[in-house]
């Protein structure tokens, strides 16, 4: 049974930073493409970032390029999302995902963590 547990969300002012973490269990983590998606109220789910199984390749949605960084620690079965220069439009529920089809969807999802960016 795959479990993905996110943490690190919260309220931050515009221009601030947050780091999200996602702890995975239940299958071989290091062989999986991991990633993050987000969904704001009234909007469709949006691809944020993904990272290949050993971290050699990273992928980002256009709206976060240059501001967000995805990384992973296979020894800790954890994937991270460092978010810098946050904007109010980054406000959303952020979902960790495993077996990511980059830019499209994923096979497994976490429960989500709220990120709110205020002016």
């Amino acid at each position: 049974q795959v479990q993905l547990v996110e943490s690190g969300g919260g309220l931050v002012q515009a221009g601030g930073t947050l780091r999200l973490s996602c702890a995975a269990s239940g299958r071989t983590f290091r062989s999986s493409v991991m990633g993050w998606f987000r969904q704001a109220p009234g909007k469709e789910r949006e691809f944020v970032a993904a990272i290949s199984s050993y971290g050699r390749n990273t992928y980002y949605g256009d709206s976060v390029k240059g501001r967000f960084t995805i990384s992973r620690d296979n020894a800790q079965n954890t994937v991270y999302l460092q978010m810098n220069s946050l904007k109010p439009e980054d406000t959303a529920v952020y979902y960790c995902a495993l077996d990511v089809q980059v830019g499209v969807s994923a096979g497994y999802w976490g429960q989500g963590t709220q990120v709110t960016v205020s002016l």
Side-chain angles (χ1 to χ4, degrees):
Q1 181 111 6
V2 172
Q3 277 197 316
L4 303 171
V5 180
E6 301 102 332
S7 60
L11 174 64
V12 64
Q13 287 190 325
T17 65
L18 280 175
R19 189 173 86 150
L20 305 183
S21 300
C22 173
S25 62
R27 67 171 282 174
T28 305
F29 175 81
R30 64 186 63 199
S31 65
S32 303
V33 178
M34 300 294 298
W36 294 89
F37 290 73
R38 68 186 183 186
Q39 189 165 20
K43 294 189 176 181
E44 292 188 352
R45 184 178 60 206
E46 177 187 13
F47 169 75
V48 176
I51 186 166
S52 60
S53 54
Y54 287 95
R56 292 192 182 96
N57 298 302
T58 57
Y59 312 87
Y60 296 94
D62 287 342
S63 60
V64 306
K65 279 180 184 175
R67 300 188 298 121
F68 291 10
T69 302
I70 189 170
S71 61
R72 65 191 295 162
D73 182 343
N74 284 347
Q76 299 294 324
N77 285 2
T78 302
V79 63
Y80 303 97
L81 185 68
Q82 178 68 42
M83 304 186 293
N84 298 333
S85 302
L86 282 160
K87 305 175 181 180
E89 51 263 45
D90 294 318
T91 295
V93 177
Y94 283 70
Y95 296 92
C96 177
L98 183 148
D99 282 352
V100 172
Q101 188 176 1
V102 174
V104 180
S105 190
Y108 300 90
W109 301 91
Q111 82 286 353
T113 186
Q114 177 70 45
V115 171
T116 303
V117 184
S118 64
L119 287 168

